[in-house]
Amino acid sequence: MTTLTIRNVPSAEKERLRVRAAMNGRSMEAELRAILTAALDSGSDRGENLAEAIRRRFAPFGGVELAEHPAEFVGEPADFAA
């Protein structure tokens, strides 16, 4: 097990933690472990990346049909060896 120390916690936040721990029948230390575990578990269960989230958000509006981009030669690449 590893020990973590959290410094400079505002007294109001510490009091909220104390009350929350008491409501859940846990010590402040056990409550912090539960909060940390829940926060880390919820982040890994999403399994969705930003692109998928954007696609899902805009899917109800329908797709966009774009014209085919014409393939054209743009020239030789620049020679930076000189």
Side-chain angles (χ1 to χ4, degrees), residues 1-6 17-18 20-21 24-42:
M1 286 280 181
T2 300
T3 300
L4 298 175
T5 301
I6 303 173
L17 176 63
R18 187 191 66 75
R20 178 177 169 159
N24 290 321
R26 296 190 271 243
S27 67
M28 287 177 35
E29 183 177 336
E31 187 66 19
L32 281 170
R33 280 194 300 268
I35 292 168
L36 184 60
T37 300
L40 294 175
D41 286 347
S42 68

Side-chain angles (χ1 to χ4, degrees):
M1 286 280 181
T2 300
T3 300
L4 298 175
T5 301
I6 303 173
R7 295 183 191 352
N8 301 321
V9 177
S11 58
E13 297 301 317
K14 181 181 174 187
E15 180 62 18
R16 289 178 61 200
L17 176 63
R18 187 191 66 75
V19 170
R20 178 177 169 159
M23 290 175 59
N24 290 321
R26 296 190 271 243
S27 67
M28 287 177 35
E29 183 177 336
E31 187 66 19
L32 281 170
R33 280 194 300 268
I35 292 168
L36 184 60
T37 300
L40 294 175
D41 286 347
S42 68
S44 64
D45 290 343
R46 285 185 286 168
E48 180 177 66
N49 62 29
L50 178 61
E52 180 58 27
I54 292 170
R55 187 204 61 76
R56 191 171 31 86
R57 164 108 10 133
F58 288 100
F61 301 111
V64 175
E65 298 297 324
L66 300 174
E68 191 72 28
H69 191 326
E72 61 182 66
F73 183 70
V74 293
E76 292 295 322
D79 182 15
F80 295 108

